[in-house]
Amino acid sequence: MKPNPLESLDHVVRDALGQLAAIDDLADLNGAEASLIGRRSAFTSLQKSLGALAPEDRARAGAALQEARRRVEDAFEERRRVLDSGAWERRMREDRLDLGDVIAERVVWSPRAGHPGLVAITQRELEDVFVAMGFSVAEGPEVESDWYNFEALNIPPAHPARGMWDTFYVEMGEPETVVLRTHTSPTQIHLMEEALASGTLPIHSVMPGRCYRRDTPDARHLAAFHQVEGLVVDRGIAFADLAGVIETFTRAYFGDDIEARLRPAYFPFTEPSAEFEITCTICRGAGCRTCSQTGWIELGGCGMLDPAVFEAVGLDPEVWSGFAFGFGIDRCAQMRHQIADMRALTENDVRFLEQFS
Ligand code: PHE
């Protein structure tokens, strides 16, 4: 019996498949094509040796050889496909231009954390000063009935003092007149009513909040602005207590080089009443556009509670005494930070706002 040239066929196939599996680069694969399945491969030399077989064996052996070569060719193509897609993915990765980074860095601003505005910051600082002096902090509604905003404060309808506050009316007359509060003073009334109802007198409170007036905005005025109201209701309170609180507050908030003065004034709900002014911080008293050349800036009003207000809420003016004050938070911010024109507070120019973070 002639030796079978295909004896080694299984071994050739296993060897070729082993080599293929070890190739992990497309160029190496192409380089190995000739020796694995091409001209220089074992299959080609085996093909040649088939000539030595008897004709009846040759067809069977040829078919077996073809079948073995096709297995290796299929594995070769599969390997090429795998390496090809790997190379593609690698190239995609390497050539990738990450526009996300470019955009984040140069085109859009990355998000920045904001911060409270100057008025909110100032309100907190003012609250801190008064809390340190023993006051508690309370709040009241911005929309008030005529009774809270005016009448309970001893300002009857048609009283000429109503001209002191240019009012935004929400509702006129029936069933009642409703206004945007023109000052924080109506919160005094709420507080006294609550304290009376719950038996929590005396009162030592400050009440910050937004107010509205039909004012044309200018260097010192905004139509929507902020006040902090102060209210003390206790026994045996004197004007000296009020003056002491104003003095202590001015020093604590503006510093020792800013002077405060009280000038006689008129408010329907206090008697006596005073206007509370400080040295203009823009010109240090010399006179400028912001203070209308006076050297002084009015921060607000104050005075001893009028007995008529105690009577309006049902407190006995023979037992209770007290004082109130109310001044502009925006004005305080303006004077503290020497802002020549208050309208900067509402223009939302970030170059302005960022200075107070
Ligand atoms: N509410 C007054 C105003 O806005 C200020 C004030 C408050 C006066 C408290 C006296 C007492 O003009």
Side-chain angles (χ1 to χ4, degrees), residues 32-200:
E33 183 171 3
S35 63
L36 283 173
I37 51 175
R39 273 175 300 108
R40 287 186 278 110
S41 68
F43 297 113
T44 305
S45 47
L46 285 174
Q47 182 78 41
K48 283 178 191 150
S49 66
L50 290 187
L53 289 179
E56 65 272 23
D57 293 333
R58 206 182 292 156
R60 212 164 29 86
L65 184 60
Q66 275 317 312
E67 147 80 18
R69 183 195 282 247
R70 204 169 309 116
R71 273 181 67 196
V72 176
E73 282 173 351
D74 287 350
F76 187 92
E77 284 314 315
E78 173 61 16
R79 193 75 195 135
R80 187 200 293 285
R81 209 183 48 75
V82 168
L83 293 179
D84 216 25
S85 70
W88 169 252
E89 276 162 20
R90 199 173 325 114
R91 234 181 79 200
M92 289 303 283
R93 247 195 330 269
E94 283 166 7
D95 291 356
R96 185 182 143 101
L97 178 59
D98 195 343
L99 288 176
D101 289 348
V102 175
I103 290 170
E105 264 172 40
R106 312 191 174 199
V107 183
V108 250
W109 291 348
S110 36
R112 288 181 296 174
H115 59 82
L118 178 57
V119 176
I121 293 171
T122 305
Q123 179 176 323
R124 270 180 226 170
E125 290 169 351
L126 296 174
E127 287 172 12
D128 284 350
V129 171
F130 285 110
V131 166
M133 289 165 73
F135 288 79
S136 60
V137 180
E139 277 181 0
E142 290 177 21
V143 181
E144 288 282 17
S145 67
D146 189 86
W147 193 77
Y148 280 100
N149 197 78
F150 293 120
E151 282 175 58
L153 291 164
N154 199 28
I155 314 167
H159 190 286
R162 290 208 176 197
M164 293 166 76
W165 298 280
D166 283 317
T167 310
F168 284 114
Y169 287 89
V170 177
E171 249 162 60
M172 292 291 282
E174 298 302 312
E176 59 175 357
T177 298
V178 177
V179 303
L180 297 185
R181 67 177 176 191
T182 56
H183 48 180
T184 43
S185 297
T187 313
Q188 288 182 33
I189 305 298
H190 289 293
L191 246 57
M192 284 189 267
E193 284 178 342
E194 282 162 23
L196 194 59
S198 59
T200 50

Side-chain angles (χ1 to χ4, degrees), residues 307-346:
V309 175
F310 284 130
E311 274 157 15
V313 295
L315 281 171
D316 183 352
E318 297 301 325
V319 178
W320 299 101
S321 55
F323 63 79
F325 57 83
F327 54 84
I329 296 176
D330 319 73
R331 280 283 171 83
C332 286
Q334 180 179 29
M335 285 299 107
R336 174 84 175 249
H337 299 282
Q338 292 154 37
I339 300 163
D341 195 317
M342 197 189 270
R343 285 169 288 194
L345 291 173
T346 56

Side-chain angles (χ1 to χ4, degrees), residues 165 182-183 185 188 213 227 229 267 269-270 301-303 324-326:
W165 298 280
T182 56
H183 48 180
S185 297
Q188 288 182 33
R213 284 185 204 174
Q227 286 189 335
E229 192 82 9
F267 295 101
F269 37 95
T270 47
C302 58
F325 57 83

Side-chain angles (χ1 to χ4, degrees), residues 117-118 342-354:
L118 178 57
M342 197 189 270
R343 285 169 288 194
L345 291 173
T346 56
E347 281 165 356
N348 287 339
D349 184 331
V350 286
R351 292 166 300 181
F352 172 79
L353 300 174
E354 273 174 349

Side-chain angles (χ1 to χ4, degrees), residues 202-268:
I203 300 169
H204 300 85
S205 289
V206 289
M207 300 145 261
R210 189 172 292 142
C211 307
Y212 305 85
R213 284 185 204 174
R214 225 154 30 77
D215 273 340
T216 304
D218 65 25
R220 284 195 313 263
H221 296 90
L222 297 172
F225 59 102
H226 302 77
Q227 286 189 335
V228 56
E229 192 82 9
L231 176 67
V232 169
V233 176
D234 209 334
R235 294 165 205 264
I237 300 294
F239 195 91
D241 298 312
L242 167 60
V245 165
I246 296 284
E247 179 77 19
T248 308
F249 159 76
T250 307
R251 273 174 203 281
Y253 189 68
F254 292 102
D256 286 340
D257 55 332
I258 293 298
E259 227 183 297
R261 71 177 185 185
L262 293 177
R263 294 206 307 163
Y266 170 74
F267 295 101

